[in-house]
């Protein structure tokens, strides 16, 4: 058998204040004065503390992107068209600064600048044929693993599915825990739980191997320490959660996620539920699949006084429920990892409906 030959992020800088090295990291990558395009979460639009630290030269451009909704294929296409209309040549690079949504947009835009068609054409596995534009990821919240993964998850006209390819991972990542100062508590929790759930799903999946396990166990232990322990300063917690996110992302690179992510995609596609909170709403109902993980998750919610929305599926039309179930069941690799080859015997339409109605 042939083993997957996975690309990893070739360069990473970690440390408090490392964001200020961005200019010197980018300098050797500039081609003939062609621009760098910075995609920045619009939560920073009125926060000059961050944007003032980005050095714009020549005709570099800062584009603030909205993350009110999960990233869409249409949003990617609009940014790509805007860049093409403004510049005659390809940018020297795309730099994403923000949470998982912005990082996923940056990865997708860098791919679509060198590959024909629209973002929806590449939703799936290994459909990208040309190398992306140089791209850099700078997370400002920790947990999604988007900074290290080979996917960028997008909601398209027909499905919610990532562009999974060897050209997706960033060429450079800057991990500066200080950029996570001031993240609202609920957001911190939901995104951190995305990481915890990655680990639970990877570690209990049938695709598990020593590579995934070594990263997954480390991230899992860090999450338990951060969200249930009391020994860390705020500064230590930020640094450790950044490492948990990295390790959690690496853990699923060589395995896969599972039931929570599959069902969460359904919520997101039909209701527009954000990924982090969607995972939490789903995971809260999955004792039968992940008993130990859900028990710890409930302890973490109690400790941090997190209340999840209830009854979000109670008003669904029959058509919406069917679409939600279709979306979830379409993610075959996730179910195979979670439940094995005979997953369809367990993950029936009736079972999914019953689970969704609990949410």
């Amino acid at each position: 058998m042939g083993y997957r030959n996975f690309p990893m992020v070739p360069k990473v800088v970690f440390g408090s204040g490392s964001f200020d090295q961005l200019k010197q990291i980018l300098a050797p990558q500039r081609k003939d004065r062609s621009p760098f395009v910075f995609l920045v979460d619009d939560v920073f639009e009125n926060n000059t503390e961050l944007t003032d630290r980005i050095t714009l030269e020549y005709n570099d451009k800062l584009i603030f992107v909205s993350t009110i909704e999960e990233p869409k294929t249409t949003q990617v296409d609009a940014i790509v068209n805007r860049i093409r209309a403004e510049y005659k040549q390809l940018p020297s690079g795309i730099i994403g600064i923000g949470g998982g949504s912005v990082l996923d947009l940056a990865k997708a835009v860098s791919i679509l600048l060198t590959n024909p068609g629209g973002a929806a054409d590449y939703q799936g596995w290994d459909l990208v044929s040309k190398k992306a534009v140089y791209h850099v990821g700078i997370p400002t919240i920790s947990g999604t693993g988007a900074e290290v993964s080979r996917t960028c998850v997008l909601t398209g006209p027909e499905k919610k599915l990532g562009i999974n390819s060897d050209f997706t991972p960033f060429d450079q990542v800057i991990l500066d825990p200080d950029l996570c100062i001031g993240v609202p508590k609920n957001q911190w929790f939901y995104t951190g739980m995305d990481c915890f759930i990655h680990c639970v799903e990877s570690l209990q999946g049938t695709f598990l191997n020593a590579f995934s396990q070594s990263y997954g166990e480390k991230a899992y232990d860090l999450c338990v320490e951060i969200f249930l322990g009391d020994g860390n300063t705020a500064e230590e917690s930020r640094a450790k959660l950044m490492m948990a996110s990295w390790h959690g992302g690496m853990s699923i690179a060589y395995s896969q996620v599972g039931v929570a992510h599959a069902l969460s995609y359904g919520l997101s596609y039909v209701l527009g539920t954000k990924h982090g909170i969607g995972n939490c709403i789903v995971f809260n109902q999955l004792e039968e699949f992940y008993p130990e993980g859900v028990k710890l998750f409930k302890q973490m919610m109690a400790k941090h006084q997190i209340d999840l929305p209830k009854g979000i599926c109670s008003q669904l039309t029959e058509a919406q429920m069917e679409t939600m179930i279709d979306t979830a069941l379409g993610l075959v690799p996730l179910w195979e990892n979670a439940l094995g080859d005979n997953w369809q015997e367990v993950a029936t339409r009736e079972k999914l409906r019953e689970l969704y109605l609990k949410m």
Side-chain angles (χ1 to χ4, degrees):
M1 72 180 270
Y3 289 102
R4 296 301 299 268
N5 189 6
F6 273 108
M8 288 154 102
V9 172
K11 291 194 170 179
V12 57
V13 178
F14 171 81
S16 179
S18 58
F19 182 66
D20 290 328
Q21 286 173 237
L22 180 59
K23 183 182 176 182
Q24 69 190 73
I25 287 169
L26 293 181
Q29 303 296 334
R30 189 182 291 278
K31 296 181 173 64
D32 315 322
R33 299 198 170 195
S34 78
F36 285 106
V37 178
F38 299 82
L39 303 182
V40 183
D41 189 324
D42 68 3
V43 75
F44 296 107
E45 193 155 5
N46 301 313
N47 173 356
T48 54
E49 204 176 317
L50 179 101
T51 51
D52 283 354
R53 293 164 68 192
I54 300 171
T55 311
L56 297 179
E57 298 178 323
Y58 307 114
N59 50 352
D60 292 351
K61 189 166 195 65
L62 204 58
I63 298 178
F64 289 104
V65 291
S66 168
T67 56
I68 289 173
E69 296 180 319
E70 293 281 273
K72 288 184 158 60
T73 54
T74 49
Q75 192 179 9
V76 174
D77 294 342
I79 295 169
V80 170
N81 291 336
R82 180 176 169 182
I83 292 170
R84 283 196 176 131
E86 193 150 332
Y87 302 109
K88 289 187 172 58
Q89 77 274 53
L90 275 179
S92 291
I94 303 292
I95 296 92
I97 304 173
S101 294
V102 175
L103 298 182
D104 279 356
L105 282 170
K107 290 191 279 193
V109 166
S110 68
I111 285 170
L112 265 297
L113 282 166
T114 56
N115 288 272
D121 300 332
Y122 298 99
Q123 283 181 285
W125 279 268
D126 302 306
L127 302 172
V128 181
S129 58
K130 292 195 179 113
K131 189 178 187 310
V133 167
Y134 174 80
H135 50 304
V136 180
I138 306 175
T140 60
I141 185 169
S142 298
T144 67
E147 64 278 11
V148 72
S149 76
R150 73 186 289 279
T151 186
C152 38
V153 182
L154 302 171
T155 302
E158 287 163 27
K159 53 188 174 266
K160 178 176 174 181
L161 189 60
I163 298 178
N164 299 271
S165 86
D166 282 355
F167 301 113
T168 310
F170 286 110
D171 297 295
Q172 169 82 54
V173 170
I174 296 176
L175 299 175
D176 183 346
D178 290 356
L179 297 181
C180 300
I181 294 170
V183 169
K185 181 181 156 188
N186 275 19
Q187 196 66 42
W188 164 80
F189 184 85
Y190 298 144
T191 310
M193 287 303 100
D194 187 17
C195 176
F196 178 67
I197 294 165
H198 281 159
C199 300
V200 172
E201 291 182 316
S202 172
L203 292 170
Q204 297 206 4
T206 62
F207 294 1
L208 187 64
N209 52 66
F211 184 99
S212 298
Q213 190 172 357
S214 61
Y215 283 106
E217 285 175 350
K218 184 63 191 171
Y220 183 94
D221 291 347
L222 283 167
C223 286
V224 171
E225 183 189 330
I226 293 157
F227 290 98
L228 287 177
D230 291 310
N232 292 315
T233 63
E235 193 177 349
E236 287 166 339
S237 281
R238 280 194 300 273
K240 285 179 177 175
L241 188 54
M242 199 155 245
M243 283 297 97
S245 178
W246 182 269
H247 283 74
M250 286 298 298
S251 172
I252 53 175
Y254 223 100
S255 63
Q256 192 46 274
V257 283
V259 180
H261 275 74
L263 293 172
S264 173
Y265 274 41
L267 289 182
S268 175
Y269 186 68
V270 175
L271 295 175
T273 311
K274 298 280 283 200
H275 184 68
I277 190 171
N279 276 346
C280 290
I281 291 168
V282 173
F283 196 64
N284 200 33
Q285 305 298 340
L286 297 184
E287 288 98 338
E288 66 187 284
F289 300 102
Y290 307 112
E292 182 60 26
V294 175
K295 187 177 122 193
L296 283 176
F297 170 73
K298 289 183 189 284
Q299 287 172 14
M300 292 171 183
M301 277 210 306
K303 181 177 169 84
H304 297 284
Q305 300 172 314
I306 300 293
D307 288 318
L308 289 174
K310 292 184 176 65
I312 65 167
C313 294
S314 59
Q315 304 296 314
L316 288 180
T317 65
E318 185 53 32
Q320 284 178 308
M321 177 61 87
E322 290 292 326
T323 302
M324 206 176 260
I325 293 169
D326 287 340
T327 302
L329 288 177
L331 296 155
V332 174
L334 283 63
W335 294 105
E336 286 177 343
N337 177 49
L339 304 171
D341 291 341
N342 301 325
W343 63 272
Q344 283 159 305
E345 291 167 22
V346 180
T348 60
R349 298 188 77 85
E350 294 68 40
K351 181 74 204 170
L352 266 63
R353 179 184 296 267
E354 175 199 321
L355 286 167
Y356 276 133
L357 288 173
K358 286 184 184 170
M359 296 172 197

